[in-house]
Amino acid sequence: MEQTLARRAWTLFEPVHAIVFFAPEATEIYKAAGLRGGWMGYFASRSAAMGAVGAEVVTAVFHNFRPAMVARAIPDAWTFSSPERALEARRAVADSALRRLWADDVASADVTEAAALALEVVAGLHGDGRPLFAAHAGLAVPAAPHLALWHACGLLREHRFDGHVAALTVNGIGGLDALVIASATGSGMDADTMQHLRGWTGEECENAARGLRERGILDSDNLLTEQGRSLKDSVEATTDALATDVWEATDEAKRERLFSLLRRLAVRLEAPDGIRYPNPIGVPRPA
């Protein structure tokens, strides 16, 4: 994909927030909050900003997980814990992971400056049609600079993600369809791993692939056709377009300063016990 302004930004802010998805300390921290298992911790902590919502809501807004996988964690999570405890645990995961990987720099001038600049960008975002972003935008900004930056990057992340789901939906691409299409590109993680991580069965994936072949999106080898590549490129371009305005409206000097700071910080998160590439999110290394 062309390295648009919005796509460049994504490669920089996504790792900072997404560290909570990869940090090994997450399991024990979520367990201490009453959440049973890593996936319950993930589903509960990411959806907690919306309140004690049901599995149907989480499945819809997260988009590409098998409904039965979500239902094994939600709503049971709210009997073992609460949205408030899940949010607190998630912040604790971020705090622990960033302190481990950034060490004393969590309180550095660079992190403090990056947090201020990112929050300034976030103030220009709007929540119309973006449920995950809007829910998280209602949370208080943490006082610690490294957590304020993590929070701001999370808002940028969920704003973009909500736009991506909209781009998929308007093109008639459901969650499983999106997973199969992503696997067909041959980049990122392999199809079997992604199928396992999202809870789908082999039969369900094959049925989805059959439907995409019938639509002319996949060929007989389950690779993207010209029509399929055009569709995928269109979805990605729409995702970028829906995330572009706020970056174009930001003063160029401030934007480039933020990008420079984020890049320096994001590259330090790549580690066996940090962000790994390729990854299930699909984000590439910082641009």
Side-chain angles (χ1 to χ4, degrees):
M1 288 297 297
E2 178 188 356
Q3 190 72 290
T4 64
L5 185 60
R7 186 160 292 266
R8 180 182 167 208
W10 174 52
T11 71
L12 300 173
F13 64 69
E14 179 82 17
V16 176
H17 179 75
I19 190 63
V20 294
F21 305 143
F22 298 90
E25 51 263 69
T27 301
E28 290 304 315
I29 291 174
Y30 289 140
K31 183 178 178 181
L35 299 166
R36 303 182 178 185
W39 282 112
M40 180 177 283
Y42 167 76
F43 289 123
S45 65
R46 189 178 172 206
S47 68
M50 299 186 290
V53 294
E56 295 83 2
V57 173
V58 175
T59 300
V61 297
F62 286 23
H63 191 64
N64 64 1
F65 288 90
R66 187 173 188 247
M69 181 179 181
V70 179
R72 286 197 294 271
I74 304 292
D76 283 357
W78 311 131
T79 66
F80 302 132
S81 188
S82 68
E84 293 76 18
R85 290 179 68 193
L87 288 169
E88 183 180 352
R90 196 182 202 211
R91 284 190 297 271
V93 174
D95 183 42
S96 176
L98 293 176
R99 287 183 183 277
R100 173 168 50 79
L101 293 164
W102 288 346
D104 292 343
D105 285 340
V106 293
S108 68
D110 280 357
V111 168
T112 300
E113 182 184 2
L117 289 170
L119 288 169
E120 188 175 330
V121 173
V122 164
L125 298 176
H126 301 285
D128 294 351
R130 300 181 193 257
L132 276 172
F133 165 75
H136 286 87
L139 302 176
V141 178
H146 65 297
L147 291 180
L149 177 59
W150 169 78
H151 173 76
C153 288
L155 292 176
L156 290 165
R157 192 252 188 198
E158 298 299 17
H159 183 273
R160 180 184 175 87
F161 179 81
D162 285 333
H164 185 56
V165 172
L168 290 167
T169 302
V170 77
N171 281 284
I173 302 173
L176 179 53
D177 292 336
L179 188 71
V180 173
I181 289 172
S183 299
T185 64
S187 61
M189 301 192 76
D190 66 272
D192 288 343
T193 298
M194 289 303 300
Q195 174 189 319
H196 171 72
L197 289 174
R198 296 299 180 259
W200 299 98
T201 67
E203 182 180 1
E204 289 167 331
C205 288
E206 176 50 36
N207 288 340
R210 183 182 304 112
L212 292 169
R213 290 195 297 270
E214 291 172 354
R215 292 171 61 184
I217 295 170
L218 296 183
D219 62 20
S220 59
D221 294 320
N222 285 342
L223 299 175
L224 291 177
T225 62
E226 183 176 348
Q227 177 186 336
R229 288 191 295 272
S230 177
L231 174 63
K232 188 176 188 304
D233 288 348
S234 176
V235 167
E236 296 300 331
T238 300
T239 300
D240 286 346
L242 291 172
T244 294
D245 287 355
V246 71
W247 296 110
E248 291 183 340
T250 301
D251 175 79
E252 183 177 2
K254 287 185 176 181
R255 183 182 69 221
E256 292 305 314
R257 175 60 177 165
L258 175 59
F259 283 2
S260 176
L261 292 168
L262 285 176
R263 190 182 192 286
R264 273 186 260 162
L265 294 166
V267 295
R268 292 175 60 185
L269 298 177
E270 183 175 355
D273 54 357
I275 298 288
R276 297 179 295 279
Y277 302 91
N279 52 67
I281 299 171
V283 66
R285 285 184 170 86

